[in-house]
């Protein structure tokens, strides 16, 4: 991974010597062991992700130790979609350990986001029927597909529901990640 990153950084630096380049750890930005030798550029910072588990500093000890060892900034590029309590506790851990963070996601169906999209009537039945059906062969996948006309209607309702004015603002989530609700 470090060799691939070096090639990528060299390519970027051939046209841009100014901007910071963010490198993620292996395995969903969670494993930095393969990146011990990526100090070939002064404009590198690292990004990690975390979606669950404990919220204290011990839960991200490997990120903190790697950041301190390589003396480069660490940025939590995605945290969560979890409970408000989890988000608040984890955001405090990020602040306490000098790690910037980005919420994830801005919008999704229902909660644990800034703007909750109301699920269309019948959405879960269609989605669950497909996602939980056997799909180990093409015939099983074809058999599990929802009715195309019904799926289209649901998707069009989803698009309409996704408009900001139709979303439910999740004030408690916004406060949990340390922002003020106006």
């Amino acid at each position: 991974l470090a060799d691939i990153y070096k090639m990528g950084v060299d390519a970027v630096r051939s046209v841009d010597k100014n901007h910071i380049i963010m490198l993620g750890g292996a395995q969903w930005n969670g494993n930095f062991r393969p990146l011990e030798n990526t100090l070939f550029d002064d404009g590198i910072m690292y990004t990690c992700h975390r979606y669950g588990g404990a919220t204290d500093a011990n839960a991200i000890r490997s990120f903190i130790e790697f950041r301190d060892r390589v003396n480069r900034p660490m940025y939590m590029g995605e945290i969560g979609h979890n409970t408000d309590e989890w988000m608040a506790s984890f955001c405090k851990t990020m602040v306490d350990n000098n790690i910037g963070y980005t919420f994830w996601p801005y919008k999704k169906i229902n909660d644990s986001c800034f703007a909750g999209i109301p699920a269309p009537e019948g959405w879960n039945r269609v989605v669950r029927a497909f996602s939980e059906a056997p799909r180990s062969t093409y015939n099983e996948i074809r058999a599990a597909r929802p009715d195309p006309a019904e799926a289209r209607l649901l998707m069009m309702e989803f698009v309409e529901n996704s408009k900001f004015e139709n979303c439910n603002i999740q004030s408690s989530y916004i406060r949990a990640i340390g922002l003020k609700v106006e």
Side-chain angles (χ1 to χ4, degrees):
L1 185 60
D3 292 339
I4 291 170
Y5 278 170
K6 179 154 182 13
M7 287 188 301
V9 169
D10 288 346
V12 169
R13 292 299 182 225
S14 73
V15 295
D16 181 348
K17 300 200 182 307
N18 186 39
H19 289 89
I20 293 171
I21 297 174
M22 296 177 78
L23 301 178
Q27 299 155 320
W28 301 277
N29 285 355
N31 175 4
F32 289 90
R33 287 185 300 263
L35 301 179
E36 294 294 331
N37 297 317
T38 54
L39 298 177
F40 46 78
D41 186 282
D42 290 337
I44 290 175
M45 70 182 289
Y46 294 93
T47 182
C48 53
H49 294 173
R50 182 133 175 113
Y51 301 101
T55 60
D56 62 0
N58 286 329
I60 57 167
R61 181 69 49 213
S62 65
F63 300 162
I64 295 167
E65 289 174 354
F66 174 78
R67 175 204 60 196
D68 293 348
R69 190 167 47 256
V70 298
N71 194 31
R72 299 291 167 88
M74 179 66 73
Y75 184 75
M76 186 69 65
E78 292 180 18
I79 56 173
H81 70 101
N82 226 307
T83 65
D84 292 345
E85 296 78 17
W86 188 95
M87 296 293 286
S89 179
F90 196 60
C91 287
K92 181 179 182 325
T93 297
M94 297 295 98
V95 170
D96 290 350
N97 288 280
N98 196 30
I99 297 175
Y101 58 90
T102 301
F103 56 86
W104 182 88
Y106 172 66
K107 286 183 183 179
K108 71 175 196 169
I109 289 182
N110 297 326
D111 56 8
S112 71
C113 61
F114 271 62
I117 302 167
E121 184 74 32
W123 180 264
N124 285 337
R125 179 180 46 75
V126 170
V127 170
R128 193 165 286 123
F130 181 72
S131 65
E132 294 178 0
R135 293 182 295 162
S136 53
T137 68
Y138 287 115
N139 285 337
E140 288 178 338
I141 291 169
R142 281 187 209 95
R145 287 183 303 192
D147 173 69
E150 181 182 19
R152 179 172 171 65
L153 286 173
L154 286 169
M155 185 53 78
M156 295 312 295
E157 186 178 345
F158 174 79
V159 168
E160 185 64 28
N161 290 357
S162 297
K163 293 178 179 176
F164 185 77
E165 63 267 16
N166 297 328
C167 290
N168 302 311
I169 303 306
Q170 307 293 317
S171 299
S172 61
Y173 175 89
I174 294 168
R175 283 190 291 276
I177 64 170
L179 299 175
K180 292 181 182 172
V181 178
E182 297 290 324

